[in-house]
Structures are given as structure tokens and as C-alpha cells.
Amino acid sequence: MLDAIEAVDWARIPGPAGWYRPDLAASGLRALATATGLGQAARAGSVLAGGGLVHDHSGEVFPAVVTAAPILLAIARHGHPEAGATALGLLDDALAFATHDRHTRVATPYAEAVPICCALADHLRGSTGLLATFGLEGKHLRADAAEHWRFDVHEIIAGNDGALAFGALAGRFPDDGTQAAELHLAGRVTPLEQVALHYPPEGGSPDACLHITGVRRRELAPPAVLFPARCAPGPVAR
């Protein structure tokens, strides 16, 4: 965990001036990773919540928390139990703050301008087994992460009334009809007004199909990725 912390240039991660403190991100994570009891874990958590990863008094969340998410999950898995609980609490706060963030986007391996809540939720979904060991808090965090669904397009079949997109669905697509979404492909973000679940995943497989109207086939070409529009209703910063 310490090697992973030192491998990041926290100062190069963007964040609001006067709020984000990259020095606190690094020192707080080191302290939390090496904590051996409640007092040390609590002090490290205060550092990370005071400008390192979030600013809990104002409800601000910083892009650094997406980079730190795998480290926090590793602390939850391998660190002292009090450090693990603190790490999980930070992730819980970060996702709650990010859900109300309407402007921050981050670069990921699968898209260049992902709403911060969706990027964070993607890390959490990758550790559902770990979260299941944290009882009710872990259960709530898994449920909250599932709301920030992601759909990776693998194949497109065009039709007269739109297109069918076959791919992998992560999270829970709402079952209350047509949804608005964002389509990410090659650095571009295209708003989609009508996206519906044509058939859902079955038997634990992520394979699913979405019916999409109002978009040209070439805009949906793999490796396009869709996210819920409600997570980032503002324009993409250029």
C-alpha cells in the first residue's frame, strides 16, 4: 500500500485551490495504511477528510479520491480493523458528496470525462465481496454504488426507430422506463434523451441490451460507454 501511495504525484491531480491539499492526501493515506489502533486511524481520517480527499465541513469531494479509492479499499482489506472502518467511512462520505457534485469529471481508462460519482462507484463495484464483510454499512455502500450504472457497448444493431446496443451493464439500470444518459466515445460526450433496457442481465452475467433512440450508429461504435445523465447534467469542460 505504501508503494502505491508513493507512486502517485498527488500534486498533479487537479483540485480546487484553497480546498484540495495534495500533501494531506499523501500523508493521510500513509498514516492510515500504517495505523495500528483507533486513535491513529481517527487522526489519519481527519487529515484525509480535511482537504486530502474530501472536505467534510463543506461537502466537497476532490478527484484525488478516485485515485485513492483502490488504496482505501486495500486498507479496508489488509489494514488494521479501525483503519479499514475509517477507509470505508471516507469512501462512503466521498460517494455521498460526489452524488451531489454537478461539475467534477475525471479521466479514467474507459472514458476521458466521467462524472466523479460514476468513477468512484466503479471502484466500489469491483470490491463487492469486500464490502459484504462490513455489514450494514458495506451493504448500503454497495447499493449506493449500484445506482451509478455504466454500460460498455460491444455491438450495435441499427433499426428504424433507433439502435440496439449489446454490451456489459455494471450497476443497476432503473426499471422505471426510459432514461436520459451520456454517451462517451473518443473524448466526446453526447447526450441521449431516450435509453431503455431492452433485456437485463441474467444469471450473474453482465450481458445486457439497451434500446437507444436519437443517435447515429457511428456515435455508438465500440468502445462507447454510457453513464446516467442525472450524474452530470452540466456541460463538459473543455
Side-chain angles (χ1 to χ4, degrees):
M1 290 183 285
L2 292 178
D3 287 344
I5 297 167
E6 299 304 326
V8 177
D9 186 349
W10 299 95
R12 291 182 64 87
I13 300 175
W19 292 88
Y20 172 50
R21 293 279 305 277
D23 57 322
L24 297 187
S27 63
L29 286 169
R30 284 194 296 268
L32 189 60
T34 56
T36 58
L38 176 59
Q40 292 178 347
R43 286 191 291 273
S46 295
V47 169
L48 293 169
L53 301 179
V54 300
H55 192 268
D56 57 0
H57 292 303
S58 60
E60 289 285 330
V61 59
F62 311 132
V65 77
V66 177
T67 302
I71 298 171
L72 291 171
L73 289 166
I75 293 172
R77 186 182 299 276
H78 301 295
H80 187 278
E82 295 294 350
T86 299
L88 196 70
L90 285 163
L91 288 166
D92 195 11
D93 287 345
L95 184 58
F97 297 161
T99 298
H100 298 287
D101 187 311
R102 290 295 183 263
H103 60 275
T104 305
R105 296 173 181 264
V106 297
T108 71
Y110 43 86
E112 297 180 16
V114 179
I116 189 171
C117 55
C118 294
L120 184 57
D122 209 43
H123 284 296
L124 294 169
R125 281 196 299 268
S127 296
T128 54
L130 169 65
L131 296 179
T133 67
F134 280 85
L136 190 60
E137 186 176 9
K139 180 180 179 180
H140 288 162
L141 192 50
R142 283 185 294 158
D144 290 344
E147 297 299 315
H148 303 270
W149 56 267
R150 164 186 161 191
F151 184 81
D152 291 77
V153 177
H154 295 164
E155 183 180 355
I156 297 296
I157 298 179
N160 294 330
D161 61 344
L164 292 178
F166 296 85
L169 177 66
R172 189 183 71 84
F173 193 92
D175 55 7
D176 53 355
T178 301
Q179 302 294 313
E182 282 192 346
L183 170 67
H184 292 241
L185 179 64
R188 293 192 59 185
V189 178
T190 303
L192 302 175
E193 293 185 1
Q194 297 185 8
V195 177
L197 188 60
H198 191 65
Y199 70 75
E202 295 181 352
S205 169
D207 294 342
C209 179
L210 299 182
H211 182 261
I212 304 171
T213 58
V215 65
R216 290 169 290 188
R217 181 174 180 175
R218 66 175 179 271
E219 293 176 319
L220 275 171
V225 186
L226 277 69
F227 302 98
R230 62 176 177 79
C231 290
V236 179
R238 295 296 187 189

